[in-house]
Amino acid sequence: MHQRLKPALLTIVTLLLFAGAAYAIRHQLETMKWHDLVVQIRGLRWSAVLLTLVGTIGSFTALIGYDWSALRYVGAKVPFRTMALASFCGYAVGNTIGGLVTASSVRYRVYTATGLDFADIARIAGFCALAFGFGITTVGATALLLQPHLVTQALGIRTAWVTAGAVAVLAGAAWFLLLCARRRPDQPLFGRIALPSFGIASGQLLISAVELLFAGFAFWVLLPHGSVSFSAFFVVFVVATVAGIVSHVPGGVGVFETVMLLGLGSVLPPSAIAAALVIYRAVYFLIPVILAVGILAGAEAARGVRQLQTHVPTRLTLDVAGRLMPSLMAALVFVIGTLLLISAATPTLKSRFEILETLPVAVVELSHLLASVVGLALLVVAWGLFRRLIAAYWLTLALLGASAVLALGKGFAWREALLLLLCLVIMLPCRQEFWRRSALFEQPMTPGWLVALGSVVGGMAWLTFFSFRHVAYANDLWWTFEIHEEASRALRAMVVVSLLATLYGLWHLVRAHRGRAVAPTAAELFRAEQILRQQPRAEANLVRMGDKAILFSDSGKAFLMYAIQGRTWAALGDPVGAREDWPELIWRFREMTEASSGRPAYYAVRAETLPLYLDTGMTLSKLGEEARIPLRGFTLEGGGRKKALRYALTRGEKDGLTFEIVPAGAGMPLISELAAVSDAWLTKQAAREKKFSLGAFGPDYVQGSTLALIRENGRLVAFASLMTTDETAEVAIDLMRHTEATSRLVMEYLITKLIVHFQGAGYETLSLGMAPLSGMDSHPMAPLWHRIGRFVYRSGARFYNFEGLRAFKQKFDPVWEPRYLATPSGLAPALAISDIAALIGGGIKGLVAR
């Protein structure tokens, strides 16, 4: 219930904050007219705007220091150009539409391309977040201590309280730096976070101060000269920045403006503050996004140059650019759509009426209305760009071209038209980054995107009433069609956009349905078997169980198998088949779950495929490690464990054990013998058949597998069903069961014989399956899930002998490879694990049974 209510509550709180900010701004600007704002903007000195640009450049340059410090903290090395690209693009997007595409998600895409593992990337993202909080808190407290009067006056609190709070914060910062100076290597803070060195901590504090000072300077130079000291202004700026971040409103829009108006309202007229806010948003937020997209588009255009592809650092940069392009392009298109709606809600410049009067009224009216509808469409299409939909790419090009023409028709807005054409040109070389062939309107939006869309449309309505509030309202405004009746055009555009956005949001709500897994037909199972035979992954044979639904790719060359338990849609492992179809299947599966209000979970995925899941917004939790025996080069010679395996062979033969391989399809005459051994094993273990990620004993399934039999003096005492494909890359043990025997080394004998047999058959790897919860990190900074996993691993023998299972597999000297669970964040991993455990156990009853 918490997981269901959390997104809704977050959405409601965010919208309420946005609505409250809009009301506060309206109150602060009550005496200001739209014409006053235009006059103030036009009155700004070009030198001030250039200084704002200088401050922006300084701020974004300092932001690179966050990644530099984080990489030093984790001890990782990344080429400077890659680090700079990650930082600039991440903050350009995060600052502009933070909450939809964050700097952390951008970092994941960049640093996975450099080969950093997931744990290091998580530590980098965590360090940057904590460093920002530490830096802005310390710098803000210092500023409050020096110049508290504007904040105390705006909030109506005593200066002594603010001073005491600032002193307490600075004392805490000094204590933290002292801990860092006296730390031991890897000494944790509060038992979890490893302390950075004093050099990293103090250096990051300096970086934070420089970045904030540059960002504040970029705003301050836009205010009337001499109106407020920088130190007094800086306090308000830091508080506004923090409020915008904490609000979770995309880009802090409205909340940041409200705090700035409240804090500076006692020393500056509202029109001067509002004009500075408009230019600051354009220079500090919009220009970096356009520049970032332009850089990535240039990289896309250069991708085909062979000389660049042979230079390893340059090739890495180009790969990173490809990973970032959809996110950055989605951000830019969202901003462009917002600008179109703002343009539709504000008056036309008076200098353009001479041109408008030469055009037919119908052209002006229709252009204005259609331009606003195109703006809304761009907000929707931006979500498709983020998901790499080819339909969204082509539709965006068409919408940008159409809106450029409409910009000229509605008011000869040639600057707006040039910006739209520039975005269109930037997108042209990026075609290959949008490859998913999925219907655009089948993509369910996340609550965050719906909130952003609703906020923009609500902002358009607010701006319409603000811009034309001095126009006397009358019913005939809705039906007046004249060149000079701008209020009428704006009202009609607002109503049409609001109505379309409302219908779109309601459609998303009512179209959601509870899904159910449909058992595969015989034809689907046959298709899946043909695919799995032509690829190396042996565990894909579990599809033959028939207990999982099958999702095929559009080309029919790959599939993904899944089952549903509660709200969890659990995909078993990575997709199977053609690698080029895997991203499509992973995206489609997530979209299916979202459309059905489900919880996506990708169970037991491999390390090399993690970027595919990160690209869909999943978080990762380690499940355990799979034991894989490399057969090439394997030898029984030597001491230690190898000596024990040689003994198992010789002793087993003396005890009368014999080994036999039965090919797939030839096991039906043995079913009764096999069933007797299986039943005896289940009875002794007090267990029941498992499902989903494990094979179950069924006549059709077992006889369709290759079988390894162990007989003791002619009596069947053990067997293993094996999973193979036509490629001799991997063989995996599925069912492995035994009954009472005289020899105590039946299972060691069986596995050792399998190693020798399949090594001789030319196979590369023998998989012994996964050891759940093994290999969990004990580092002080390890996630909470790792610490829980280690506790269960060591203390859960009453329910499952985790340590014993790993110890048995360790006898054969395997290589341990990690396996992960990919899910949404929050409580989703724990809930998914619970549902998947029920799937494996055959329901809740099976979950509590041994």
Side-chain angles (χ1 to χ4, degrees), residues 63 66-71 91 104 107 123-133 204:
L63 284 169
Y66 281 87
D67 288 75
W68 178 74
S69 296
L71 289 167
Y91 285 112
S104 295
R107 283 193 183 94
R123 292 170 67 197
I124 289 170
F127 177 90
C128 289
L130 291 174
F132 177 81
Q204 182 55 56

Side-chain angles (χ1 to χ4, degrees), residues 339-340 343 371 403-404 407 410 413-421:
L339 292 178
L340 287 178
S343 176
S403 58
K410 71 177 184 178
W414 60 271
R415 294 185 184 89
E416 185 179 306
L418 283 178
L419 177 61
L420 293 164
L421 290 175

Side-chain angles (χ1 to χ4, degrees), residues 329-372:
M329 203 68 241
L332 179 59
V333 169
F334 191 91
V335 171
I336 293 298
T338 302
L339 292 178
L340 287 178
L341 294 183
I342 291 174
S343 176
T346 54
T348 305
L349 295 176
K350 293 181 179 180
S351 59
R352 295 177 182 164
F353 274 105
E354 294 182 4
I355 299 174
L356 288 182
E357 288 172 350
T358 64
L359 297 175
V361 174
V363 171
V364 177
E365 293 284 353
L366 192 60
S367 296
H368 192 278
L369 183 62
L370 290 179
S372 60

Side-chain angles (χ1 to χ4, degrees), residues 478-556:
W478 300 99
W479 320 114
T480 302
F481 298 90
E482 294 182 12
I483 293 294
H484 291 273
E485 291 297 335
E486 297 179 280
S488 298
R489 282 197 292 274
L491 284 172
R492 284 191 290 269
M494 179 199 72
V495 169
V496 170
V497 167
S498 301
L499 180 61
L500 291 175
T502 302
L503 291 175
Y504 183 75
L506 290 174
W507 176 67
H508 264 283
L509 293 175
V510 301
R511 71 190 290 266
H513 60 279
R514 292 299 298 271
R516 62 186 184 91
V518 179
T521 63
E524 288 176 329
L525 284 174
F526 179 79
R527 285 178 62 194
E529 287 189 46
Q530 300 309 304
I531 294 172
L532 76 87
R533 292 294 172 196
Q534 306 304 316
Q535 56 84 51
R537 181 184 154 201
E539 295 96 327
N541 277 271
L542 287 170
V543 75
R544 296 191 298 105
M545 284 282 296
D547 62 337
K548 292 169 280 291
I550 304 174
L551 175 65
F552 290 96
S553 64
D554 288 339
S555 69

Side-chain angles (χ1 to χ4, degrees), residues 119-192:
D120 281 342
I121 297 172
R123 292 170 67 197
I124 289 170
F127 177 90
C128 289
L130 291 174
F132 177 81
F134 174 65
I136 198 169
T137 303
T138 306
V139 174
T142 304
L144 270 174
L145 195 62
L146 297 174
Q147 289 283 357
H149 65 274
L150 280 182
V151 171
T152 56
Q153 185 176 350
L155 298 179
I157 57 178
R158 294 182 179 179
T159 303
W161 294 357
V162 174
T163 301
V167 169
V169 169
L170 291 176
W175 171 76
F176 175 75
L177 290 174
L178 181 63
L179 283 180
C180 294
R182 301 177 60 184
R183 76 179 185 113
R184 299 186 303 274
D186 294 327
Q187 178 184 350
L189 176 66
F190 305 128
R192 295 188 62 185

